[in-house]
Amino acid sequence: MSTTKTRDLARPAAAKATPARPRRALRGSPTFNFWLFTGPFLIGLAIFVYAPILWSLWLSFFEARFTVTPDKFVGFENYTYMLTNDDFVGSLGTFTAFAAFIVPTTWALSLSLALLVNRLRFMRAFFRSVFFLPTACSYVAASLIWKMSIFSGVRFGMMNTVLGWFGVENIAWLADPSPPWYWFVIVTARLWLQSGFYMILFLAALQNIPGELYEAAAIDGAKPGWQTFRYITLPQLRATSTAVILLLLIAAYQAFDEFYNLLSKTTWGRPPLVELYYKALGESQDYGSGSAGAVILTVLICAVTLLQGKFMGFGRGEESK
Amino acid sequence: MPEVREPAPSSDKPRRAGRGGVMSSTGLYVATGVAGFFFLIPFYLLIRNALSTDAEITGENWKFFPTDIQWGNVSELFTDETVPFGQSLWNSAVVATLHTVGVLLVCSLAGYGLARIPYRHANKVFYAVLGTLMVPTAVTFVPSFVLVSSLGWVDTYRGLIIPGLFSGFTCFLFRQYFLGFPKELEEAARVDGLGYWGAYWRIVVPNSLNFFAAMATITFINGWNSFLWPLVIGQDPGSWTVQVALSNYMTNQTVVFHLIFMATAFSILPLVFVFLFLQRWLVQGIAQTGIKG
């Protein structure tokens, strides 16, 4: 962003603008321009974000099967139905277990990778790319590789072959809920896919830590390694960690792709979105209950996000800048 | 304090401390190498399976290296009538490209308006945009489907693209970026007689190409990889995107292994190119935007 470049650009532009002088009053009005810039976005937002949310809220109070313009008002019946429905409540449990596991493990793995890559002197760009490359894969592609190659439940699967060398019997990774080996498949797929992305955030933050802090710590006798990590690196990464955990939580709530593809024919291990997908768009086309479920989930997500923000002090880092 | 700093040891020592050194250099490279190996294995398996025969993929004795590379699998994938893969690849290309262009256009304009144009109620509008960030897009797929199907947009490009253009998050990121854009540049342009519109297109955009490129890369990747919405909208195989097509092959028992893996490899290929050529912007963009997220 050099200033010289912009000056060159500004001059011919100014010359061209002179003929339009008479209409300047309207063009110069901030209110007109504000709506000119934000109008298209706000109209779209109203139609494709706000309207569906409100419609969903409205639908959730009606019995709406196979129709989106229902006339039978049922009050909170859809809500009580969903909240007493074992599948839906169970899916909330699935999600909670999933989030409780995936959020800390991804945080730890991506931070470790960032610490490793940050210390490399040679091949740093190479390894950064290696860890980052899975971000290019979709959850569908990863599910396919995981399900049909690595964790295929039969003898030709890679994992079973490797385990076979150690005399371990074939494991039906995805076809059997007890023991729940499918968790291992799902968690490793997601770790592989998203760790590289968060590693980049940590790398950027690590490089912003002023070197003098470490110098000062060394003079004060802090041993390099755990002590500097515990008392300098970790506190300095606080803002990034908070943002990462929030993003991870939101991403965990949106979990759909790998569950849908890895456990397509099963009834276990369904997170809320998969449950809602089958409820609203499956055979029963129950938009009323589906909408009620979506509302419940949204309220839950807002609550967790706000709580986490309070707990971790999200936004504090912004203010101090 | 200054006196303490004086006798600081030669520059090498604190430097190493700064890098956190518990691990020796060898240990560091061994750890990174092992991690890298596990990160690369899935890619290797994908390519290996894509270029193998079915017998080799499902053989009794699984082998790490294939014995015979089947380049013919590539042409088989695109000539096989039972797998409409070319069409889905095209659909994805159209959808992801138009999605990216549309999102950048609509969200950058709105972000600029919110960041720079003085208007009495700008704050209220901004909060209305922020509010949508609280509702995860994935949760709204039921009502959105209801809306889009009542518009008759199921199975159309419109239905695949338009509802996704109005991303509160992208708009927010653009606003944050424009808040940090040097104001003097635009003021000079205003003095020279340009309106907001002219200043935006002639001064602001040309000087923000780095950020636009970063956002374009991220948006394209998200568009290409999105699954839930295309799955909901694409009911007819002719309107499937690559991700939906792959998902269908996976659950369909009759499809052959090597074709599925070849198709998956082709579904990743465009993004690997994006990664190779635009990585600088991608990393920079993620580093810039993610922290503020």
Side-chain angles (χ1 to χ4, degrees):
Chain A
M1 258 175 255
S2 65
T3 22
T4 42
K5 199 178 154 199
T6 28
R7 263 187 217 134
D8 293 343
L9 283 162
R11 260 179 215 145
K16 270 184 197 168
T18 17
R21 272 268 157 86
R23 287 178 55 206
R24 219 180 147 188
L26 180 64
R27 257 194 11 190
S29 146
T31 307
F32 169 77
N33 275 287
F34 182 83
W35 292 111
L36 180 70
F37 277 81
T38 58
F41 177 78
L42 293 174
I43 292 169
L45 203 68
I47 297 175
F48 292 104
V49 179
Y50 277 104
I53 294 172
L54 292 178
W55 197 343
S56 180
L57 202 61
W58 182 75
L59 275 177
S60 68
F61 294 108
F62 286 83
E63 191 189 303
R65 280 173 196 268
F66 302 100
T67 173
V68 295
T69 48
D71 42 24
K72 197 176 162 206
F73 184 81
V74 293
F76 282 95
E77 215 168 86
N78 286 324
Y79 287 89
T80 49
Y81 167 74
M82 288 306 274
L83 287 172
T84 53
N85 181 317
D86 285 346
D87 289 339
F88 185 71
V89 176
S91 78
L92 294 177
T94 300
F95 159 74
T96 311
F98 178 64
F101 200 76
I102 198 72
V103 173
T105 45
T106 315
W107 177 84
L109 181 63
S110 48
L111 179 57
S112 313
L113 291 177
L115 289 170
L116 281 179
V117 171
N118 197 39
R119 278 192 64 203
L120 294 180
R121 289 186 189 195
F122 313 105
M123 295 170 75
R124 181 194 277 202
F126 170 77
F127 277 110
R128 194 190 63 190
S129 303
V130 165
F131 297 132
F132 188 45
L133 198 58
T135 310
C137 284
S138 66
Y139 278 91
V140 183
S143 305
L144 198 140
I145 301 169
W146 255 242
K147 183 183 184 178
M148 296 192 148
S149 194
I150 301 178
F151 292 103
S152 168
V154 282
R155 219 177 302 116
F156 65 80
M158 186 191 90
M159 209 58 185
N160 280 345
T161 304
V162 172
L163 288 175
W165 297 339
F166 301 98
V168 179
E169 290 284 304
N170 278 346
I171 295 175
W173 293 99
L174 294 163
D176 191 357
S178 57
W181 286 116
Y182 65 90
W183 277 118
F184 189 71
V185 183
I186 280 171
V187 166
T188 49
R190 189 167 268 249
L191 276 177
W192 181 70
L193 278 167
Q194 65 178 12
S195 297
F197 179 86
Y198 295 102
M199 174 196 75
I200 298 290
L201 297 190
F202 279 124
L203 265 179
L206 281 174
Q207 277 154 17
N208 282 337
I209 301 178
E212 298 92 64
L213 281 178
Y214 291 103
E215 283 168 31
I219 292 157
D220 289 349
K223 292 190 193 78
W226 173 248
Q227 279 194 345
T228 48
F229 176 73
R230 169 74 184 77
Y231 294 105
I232 296 176
T233 314
L234 214 51
Q236 287 286 316
L237 291 179
R238 193 193 155 94
T240 309
S241 280
T242 312
V244 165
I245 290 172
L246 187 79
L247 292 172
L248 281 172
L249 258 180
I250 293 172
Y253 259 118
Q254 314 235 14
F256 176 85
D257 303 12
E258 77 266 51
F259 283 91
Y260 179 87
N261 285 298
L262 287 170
L263 302 169
S264 53
K265 297 253 161 67
T266 62
T267 50
W268 60 80
R270 280 186 186 174
L273 282 185
V274 177
E275 202 56 48
L276 287 182
Y277 176 83
Y278 285 116
K279 180 113 279 167
L281 303 173
E283 272 161 27
S284 65
Q285 305 252 326
D286 191 344
Y287 298 124
S289 306
S291 297
V295 173
I296 294 169
L297 197 54
T298 308
V299 170
L300 213 63
I301 293 172
C302 292
V304 170
T305 315
L306 288 175
L307 260 178
Q308 196 245 356
K310 249 205 156 111
F311 189 62
M312 301 277 301
F314 186 62
R316 220 181 280 164
E318 288 263 307
E319 281 159 37
S320 66
K321 262 178 210 163
Chain B
M1 261 320 208
E3 302 110 272
V4 190
R5 259 197 195 179
E6 281 283 290
S10 64
S11 65
D12 189 37
K13 264 195 175 168
R15 198 125 204 263
R16 225 184 271 156
R19 295 179 175 217
V22 247
M23 233 184 261
S24 70
S25 183
T26 326
L28 175 71
Y29 276 90
V30 169
T32 319
V34 169
F37 174 76
F38 280 110
F39 270 71
L40 286 178
I41 270 193
F43 287 109
Y44 170 74
L45 289 175
L46 173 65
I47 295 162
R48 169 198 178 274
N49 289 347
L51 295 171
S52 298
T53 59
D54 269 25
E56 190 126 53
I57 300 170
T58 60
E60 285 267 318
N61 300 305
W62 187 87
K63 277 177 295 193
F64 196 74
F65 297 104
T67 39
D68 197 15
I69 293 176
Q70 307 286 321
W71 289 110
N73 289 355
V74 180
S75 57
E76 198 187 333
L77 172 68
F78 287 99
T79 50
D80 189 342
E81 301 271 306
T82 57
V83 179
F85 186 70
Q87 175 68 38
S88 68
L89 211 54
W90 170 249
N91 287 343
S92 278
V94 171
V95 170
T97 309
L98 292 180
H99 171 75
T100 307
V101 172
V103 166
L104 287 195
L105 187 71
V106 171
C107 296
S108 71
L109 282 174
Y112 184 79
L114 287 169
R116 272 298 159 62
I117 304 180
Y119 171 58
R120 215 151 33 100
H121 302 295
N123 261 345
K124 287 174 199 157
V125 174
F126 179 56
Y127 287 128
V129 174
L130 269 192
T132 63
L133 297 185
M134 292 292 288
V135 184
T137 41
V139 181
T140 59
F141 78 88
V142 177
S144 297
F145 173 77
V146 166
L147 178 90
V148 167
S149 72
S150 61
L151 289 170
W153 287 4
V154 172
D155 284 334
T156 64
Y157 283 150
R158 270 172 304 178
L160 284 166
I161 297 164
I162 294 175
L165 295 185
F166 309 96
S167 157
F169 191 57
T170 313
C171 170
F172 173 72
L173 293 178
F174 268 109
R175 175 188 173 269
Q176 298 302 95
Y177 168 79
F178 286 130
L179 281 178
F181 187 85
K183 222 171 186 165
E184 302 79 48
L185 292 181
E186 294 148 85
E187 273 161 8
R190 303 287 312 282
V191 169
D192 286 348
L194 276 181
Y196 284 103
W197 189 253
Y200 179 73
W201 288 109
R202 287 157 199 236
I203 307 296
V204 178
V205 174
N207 283 291
S208 308
L209 289 183
N210 270 347
F211 189 75
F212 273 83
M215 295 306 288
T217 320
I218 297 168
T219 312
F220 185 84
I221 290 172
N222 286 337
W224 184 271
N225 280 344
S226 76
F227 174 62
L228 176 55
W229 185 246
L231 175 75
V232 165
I233 287 300
Q235 310 209 320
D236 174 69
S239 67
W240 285 350
T241 63
V242 156
Q243 311 297 341
V244 181
L246 287 180
S247 172
N248 271 287
Y249 303 158
M250 212 186 314
T251 47
N252 183 345
Q253 299 298 325
T254 57
V255 161
V256 261
F257 277 88
H258 66 267
L259 288 188
I260 299 187
F261 283 104
M262 186 56 85
T264 311
F266 269 94
S267 81
I268 296 175
L269 210 57
L271 291 193
V272 171
F273 275 115
V274 166
F275 266 61
L276 290 179
F277 293 117
L278 304 177
Q279 204 188 42
R280 189 168 63 90
W281 283 309
L282 185 55
V283 170
Q284 182 192 324
I286 288 175
Q288 268 180 348
T289 60
I291 295 168
K292 284 175 182 161

